[in-house]
Amino acid sequence: MDKRHLLSDQDDDPQFPGPGNAGTPAPDLPQGGGASAPPGEMMHNVPGYEGTGSGGDEGKCVPPPNPGLASPGRGPSPPERQWEIPSISEDFAKDAFIEYASSKCCYSSRPAKELLFTDLQAHNTYRYRLETFVESRKTEWDSVPYTGQVVDSYGSCVPAPWDIAVQVPAMFQNGKRAVQVPHTSSVKGCHNCLALGKSACQKCIASGWMQCWVCNGSGRRMSDDRCSHCNGVGRVRCTECSGSGSKTCHTCAGKGQLLFFINLIVEWKNHIYEFVPDKRSGFPVDRVSKVTGELLFTDTQYMVYPVVSFPDNAINQASQTAVREHQAQFVTTSRILQQRQTIELIPVTRVHYTWKEKTYIYFVYGAEHKVYTDDYPAKCCCCTII
């Protein structure tokens, strides 16, 4: 079965990389956390940013201006050459098989050493890959404790999301960056503590006292003696707020005021389309992903043109499908920065051999000369093919 799928490289926890940018970096949160998702009713209207949600939402996706399918530049055609390569020699095939058998703890190496070759057949295949590197932008309201930062929301026009210059990282590498949108900041009282800088302690319900856990509030022990832990009072100072009944507001870090602003979240992703035609040789093509081959063709442009003259028409069709799908999928929601397509020749040799008058088959594939077989003739019953 053909290996044909659309992949999207994802980092588990993408970080904000460090290249410089022309926009204003988002201010850092204080240690221990701080405000991040202001309520919607506190946010003023900013022209061009209507509908922007708070940081607790997914953010408002901003499509690039004037989206449309641009005409790709016609890339170089694959050079006219003989693409096939001969099957490997018997010596290479035998050495690879001996190494394979030696790597298996329960395999005997006798078949690999004593085999008799009957036929070596080349079933080379190709791997086509299209990479589309895109940039997407979304906006969201954010806030941090106000500690005297510059407030720039007056007297200037707010730039549109795609007019803010942000330096692109290395091509075809995922990344993410937060940039504060200029002229959107303002200072408001903290909504969590009503601008007081403190909030009621929830553990003691703002009383500053808690019931003594030794005497359960009675002030006396089981022996009717006075409780030494609370001195007979039946209560002790709250350990959470040290008896004050209030705690420093975690939202504003005790400042009582918040700096509100719009964050521009810029994300770069490399989307990969990969195709390997199945030559119907009995070799599972999913194993091709674990090996390298010979790079036959590479084309890197703003937008590539589909391959049309490759000897294997399945590669031509895969290229046309990949280019069409990627452009249709990403051009309306993202900005395509660059595309790259490659074609690799993956050597695959099917080896027929006999051992103890029985016929067997194994495959040697990839530049690493890896071996695949599902009928090795001398292994213990506890072994399974991995």
Side-chain angles (χ1 to χ4, degrees):
M1 182 177 294
D2 291 348
K3 177 183 179 184
R4 178 180 179 278
H5 50 269
L6 181 63
L7 302 175
S8 180
D9 294 340
Q10 302 175 355
D11 296 333
D12 291 337
D13 291 305
Q15 302 295 318
F16 297 136
N21 60 290
T24 304
D28 294 330
L29 291 176
Q31 292 296 323
S36 60
E41 61 271 12
M42 296 190 66
M43 295 175 269
H44 58 281
N45 183 52
V46 178
Y49 290 82
E50 295 84 356
T52 298
S54 65
D57 303 326
E58 290 297 324
K60 178 187 177 184
C61 181
V62 183
N66 301 322
L69 286 175
S71 299
R74 179 175 290 275
S77 299
E80 295 294 333
R81 55 165 285 185
Q82 180 64 37
W83 299 92
E84 291 293 333
I85 62 175
S87 58
I88 60 176
S89 66
E90 292 186 355
D91 288 339
F92 268 120
K94 188 170 186 178
D95 290 343
F97 205 31
I98 293 175
E99 183 178 352
Y100 168 79
S102 300
S103 67
K104 304 292 183 178
C105 64
C106 300
Y107 281 27
S108 169
S109 60
R110 286 186 58 196
K113 295 178 179 179
E114 299 173 358
L115 60 82
L116 295 176
F117 291 109
T118 58
D119 193 14
L120 279 75
Q121 302 172 355
H123 291 274
N124 304 316
T125 189
Y126 306 99
R127 175 167 53 211
Y128 171 82
R129 179 185 287 125
L130 172 67
E131 298 174 82
T132 300
F133 187 60
V134 304
E135 176 182 315
S136 61
R137 298 190 173 195
K138 66 180 181 179
T139 58
E140 63 185 26
W141 278 100
D142 204 347
S143 65
V144 294
Y146 179 63
T147 58
Q149 302 96 313
V150 175
V151 181
D152 64 352
S153 61
Y154 305 104
S156 300
C157 294
V158 179
W162 285 95
D163 290 340
I164 299 174
V166 182
Q167 182 175 333
V168 180
M171 289 292 176
F172 305 108
Q173 293 185 15
N174 293 347
K176 194 174 184 180
R177 190 175 183 86
V179 178
Q180 181 177 320
V181 178
H183 313 306
T184 61
S185 60
S186 62
V187 177
K188 300 179 185 294
C190 177
H191 55 280
N192 187 59
C193 64
L194 302 179
L196 297 175
K198 294 184 177 182
S199 56
C201 177
Q202 299 299 315
K203 190 170 184 179
C204 65
I205 317 178
S207 68
W209 297 91
M210 297 181 61
Q211 179 179 285
C212 176
W213 62 271
V214 177
C215 64
N216 294 323
S218 66
R220 308 196 72 82
R221 304 290 294 271
M222 293 292 293
S223 59
D224 208 30
D225 294 333
R226 186 176 67 173
C227 177
S228 60
H229 186 256
C230 63
N231 292 322
V233 178
R235 58 181 184 172
V236 294
R237 288 187 180 276
C238 176
T239 56
E240 191 75 15
C241 64
S242 300
S244 66
S246 62
K247 298 175 60 179
T248 300
C249 177
H250 70 276
T251 301
C252 66
K255 303 300 181 181
Q257 291 182 308
L258 297 172
L259 179 70
F260 288 80
F261 55 90
I262 293 178
N263 250 347
L264 176 67
I265 309 300
V266 186
E267 186 169 9
W268 298 275
K269 274 192 175 183
N270 190 37
H271 300 271
I272 300 176
Y273 181 108
E274 190 173 284
F275 172 79
V276 178
D278 190 346
K279 298 298 185 176
R280 308 299 179 186
S281 63
F283 175 73
V285 295
D286 61 327
R287 291 181 173 264
V288 169
S289 63
K290 302 175 182 178
V291 297
T292 59
E294 177 189 355
L295 184 63
L296 303 177
F297 171 73
T298 182
D299 177 22
T300 303
Q301 299 186 56
Y302 157 56
M303 296 181 78
V304 299
Y305 194 86
V307 175
V308 295
S309 60
F310 196 75
D312 190 330
N313 194 50
I315 296 296
N316 298 325
Q317 293 177 355
S319 179
Q320 293 173 15
T321 299
V323 171
R324 181 177 63 251
E325 288 185 2
H326 270 207
Q327 291 179 1
Q329 181 176 356
F330 303 122
V331 76
T332 58
T333 59
S334 310
R335 175 173 285 172
I336 296 178
L337 300 180
Q338 202 164 71
Q339 289 185 308
R340 177 171 62 194
Q341 58 182 347
T342 58
I343 302 175
E344 292 176 88
L345 173 65
I346 309 297
V348 178
T349 299
R350 185 167 68 183
V351 181
H352 297 250
Y353 70 98
T354 60
W355 186 67
K356 291 188 175 181
E357 301 181 353
K358 291 185 178 181
T359 301
Y360 302 93
I361 294 175
Y362 69 91
F363 293 88
V364 181
Y365 63 99
E368 299 83 356
H369 291 154
K370 287 185 173 292
V371 170
Y372 168 78
T373 180
D374 59 1
D375 62 349
Y376 191 78
K379 57 185 177 181
C380 70
C381 58
C382 64
C383 290
T384 56
I385 300 297
I386 300 177

